[in-house]
Amino acid sequence: MLDLKRLRSDPDAARAALERRGGAGGLDSVIELDAQRRELLPQLEALRAEQNAANEAISAAKAAGGDASEQIAQMKEVAARAKELDGQLQAAESELNTALALLPNLPDDDAPAEDTVLRECGEIPSFDFEPRDHLDLAGDRVDMERGARLSGARFAYLRGELVMLELALVRWTLELLGRNGFEPVIPPVLVREEALHGTGFLPDTEQQIYRLADDDLYLVGTSEVALASIHADEILDADELPLRYAGFSPCFRREAGSAGRDTRGIFRVHQFDKVEMFSFVKPQDAKEEHLRLLDIEEQILTALGLPYRVVDIAIDDLGASAARKFDCEAWLPSQGRYRELTSTSNTTDFQARRLAIRMRSEGGKPELLATLNGTAVAVGRTMIALLENGQQADGSVVIPQCLADCGAPAILAPAEG
RNA sequence: GGAGGGGUGGCAGAGUGGUCGAAUGCACCGGUCUUGAAAACCGGAGUCCGGUUUCCCCGGACCGCGGGUUCGAAUCCCGCCCCCUCCGCCA
């Protein structure tokens, strides 16, 4: 959510920023509704003041044993008018809130108009054989057929050695993040609407989200939702910032509208596990923290021996809450191209405002802080990259030593059959 | 799932229709006293929204959240959320 005061005092700057991300249409109605509200509010407050004064007089009269029936009769009318005004005000406010919630975050000045590759790192492997894709390499350790039989398309059983690989990957990642100040968290993945609204996924991406039929709860598409909400309605001590969390949880996405895309294997599935980084920082530290999250993502990819590139994401591809976003894309030999593995966003005060997360500096007033998120490891996609880049001519896969040290098999046997 | 109890300021805890934004205690921040400290005493202090001579004052809102009754609601009524206890069930 954007700062209404800033929109009011400098609408042109906001309009210019919103136009960069493809339309400032909603802004005008916000400003109009705000003006409406600001006209009604003082009227209502004047009536309330009148009521308050009368209430004092009435109770004084009654205490003195006098009669206040005339004044009470008068106040009846005032109360009726106040009620009517209040109705109008609430209608205006609710429209205003809806309109305001539809506005995305203002993009960072540095966010580019086009996707921009910042760098390519690591060595793209060259094979003296035709590289297999992850599904061929995994065999029935990624069991799509039975997954589909159980739950439908885009679901899979992960089996055998790959389970141990996942656990090692998660363990290794959480330890690395722990050294970087992130507290591990396993959050609820079933959340109320407020949490999704607060993080900007609603009303923006409804069609991507699973909703329970009987319980006003939603399955999260990322633990970002739960991590952001961990401090909702709190005023944090500025001295204890930054606060960093590493969430580990399954993620659920409907993938509506992506029919026919990435249908093979587990690249795009309805359920996957992910380790997510989330930071609460002072506003002035947000950009630096963003680079820090990106750096950790790169450290992870580098340590796993995966060739990757970093993309500065175009303004029109930013999610509603992001002011700027970097993706890390790993090289997939079977596709001969880079594909998204991780992503980090600076959401500035957009989520903090919606979730009412503030900080207080020594002796100061509460002020909004900034939130940032970044993928540490999207397990499914990372395993794809590990399999495909680590494959050998016989179909076996060499797993990085750091993961073997955490309990992964050092070498995955060739798939059977 | 059944039965009951409860959500009040940073914490504890009064308050069941009328000067209640809210007693009191603790904690906190000033000040007096003291060589210094403690104690004692005096004073201050919440959040949000408007206005404004922009933190100086004025108005409004906030006693879990949202409605309702009333001239007037922390207090009465309804719905929701959360916490606790007991029973049942369960990994």
Side-chain angles (χ1 to χ4, degrees):
Chain A
M1 193 155 61
L2 299 179
D3 183 1
L4 195 51
K5 279 184 196 162
R6 200 178 308 169
L7 297 184
R8 189 187 298 146
S9 64
D10 193 0
D12 293 337
R15 182 171 293 113
L18 286 172
E19 256 155 21
R20 289 183 71 213
R21 42 182 319 171
L27 183 61
D28 291 330
S29 67
V30 165
I31 288 175
E32 194 186 311
L33 288 162
D34 177 51
Q36 235 179 69
R37 190 186 86 94
R38 285 162 59 79
E39 197 193 319
L40 291 169
L41 186 64
Q43 295 176 31
L44 180 62
E45 289 189 343
L47 288 183
R48 290 261 157 84
E50 195 182 332
Q51 285 181 301
N52 287 340
N55 289 342
E56 262 181 53
I58 290 170
S59 37
K62 289 211 165 184
D67 175 51
S69 52
E70 193 179 318
Q71 204 160 12
I72 287 176
Q74 256 176 38
M75 282 302 107
K76 226 169 209 167
E77 283 174 44
V78 175
R81 266 191 292 153
K83 192 167 183 177
E84 194 195 323
L85 254 182
D86 189 45
Q88 290 174 29
L89 182 67
Q90 282 192 37
E93 274 183 349
S94 118
E95 276 185 65
L96 173 62
N97 290 337
T98 305
L100 193 57
L102 285 167
L103 296 181
N105 202 356
L106 303 179
D108 191 299
D109 288 340
D110 296 329
E114 305 275 332
D115 280 353
T116 305
V117 176
L118 298 181
R119 54 185 166 272
E120 299 189 10
C121 305
E123 205 169 313
I124 291 175
S126 60
F127 299 104
D128 49 13
F129 54 91
E130 188 61 32
R132 300 169 170 85
D133 79 3
H134 75 277
L135 204 49
D136 287 338
L137 292 161
D140 61 8
R141 288 168 293 192
V142 168
D143 194 337
M144 303 300 299
E145 259 185 55
R146 293 190 176 91
R149 199 195 296 156
L150 172 72
S151 305
R154 296 198 191 281
F155 283 96
Y157 285 93
L158 197 65
R159 303 174 61 169
E161 285 175 307
L162 286 190
V163 172
M164 305 318 280
L165 175 59
E166 158 155 355
L167 294 181
L169 184 56
V170 169
R171 173 87 201 197
W172 173 78
T173 303
L174 287 176
E175 281 181 5
L176 184 150
L177 291 179
R179 289 194 294 278
N180 282 279
F182 290 79
E183 177 191 339
V185 177
I186 294 180
V189 292
L190 230 35
V191 303
R192 293 222 183 86
E193 182 179 349
E194 295 89 83
L196 288 161
H197 186 268
T199 37
F201 289 98
L202 288 177
D204 189 48
T205 57
E206 281 174 287
Q207 76 292 339
Q208 267 289 75
I209 305 171
Y210 285 103
R211 186 175 56 220
L212 297 206
D214 295 330
D215 291 283
D216 285 339
L217 289 171
Y218 299 77
L219 279 164
V220 296
T222 161
S223 55
E224 171 191 345
V225 174
L227 294 178
S229 299
I230 204 169
H231 291 303
D233 295 315
E234 291 182 24
I235 299 176
L236 303 170
D237 187 345
D239 290 338
E240 64 185 359
L241 297 177
L243 286 175
R244 302 188 174 101
Y245 298 97
F248 172 50
S249 81
C251 305
F252 302 90
R253 300 188 181 178
R254 295 187 62 231
E255 296 298 346
S258 58
R261 204 178 338 150
D262 301 314
T263 50
R264 187 171 157 80
I266 56 169
F267 187 84
R268 188 180 299 279
V269 284
H270 292 306
Q271 176 189 339
F272 60 95
D273 294 333
K274 180 157 68 77
V275 178
E276 178 80 1
M277 302 179 282
F278 198 92
S279 302
F280 298 86
V281 305
K282 296 175 191 165
Q284 62 268 30
D285 296 339
K287 286 196 180 199
E288 189 189 334
E289 183 71 6
H290 197 195
L291 293 178
R292 190 187 150 92
L293 295 183
L294 177 60
D295 184 63
I296 292 173
E297 292 182 349
E298 294 193 58
Q299 280 179 42
I300 289 172
L301 293 169
T302 301
L304 294 178
L306 299 175
Y308 68 93
R309 66 177 190 182
V310 179
V311 182
D312 196 349
I313 296 299
I315 287 177
D316 27 332
D317 280 339
L318 297 174
S321 60
R324 197 174 191 195
K325 176 159 105 170
F326 300 112
D327 281 3
C328 291
E329 303 179 337
W331 178 260
L332 293 190
S334 71
Q335 299 188 16
R337 57 175 173 154
Y338 290 99
R339 298 301 308 269
E340 180 185 343
L341 241 61
T342 64
S343 175
T344 177
S345 293
N346 179 1
T347 53
T348 64
D349 60 9
F350 188 85
Q351 295 178 332
R353 186 170 292 108
R354 290 185 175 211
L355 291 167
I357 310 172
R358 291 172 294 169
M359 60 171 203
R360 189 198 301 274
S361 307
E362 183 73 26
K365 293 214 142 205
E367 50 185 323
L368 292 169
L369 44 70
T371 60
L372 301 99
N373 64 80
T375 321
V377 164
V379 171
R381 290 190 180 184
T382 303
M383 285 201 298
I384 291 173
L386 286 170
L387 261 56
E388 294 199 4
N389 285 285
Q391 65 179 299
Q392 305 185 102
D394 66 352
S396 66
V397 175
V398 177
I399 298 300
Q401 186 59 42
C402 59
L403 297 183
D405 291 343
C406 282
I411 291 189
L412 289 183
E416 287 171 24

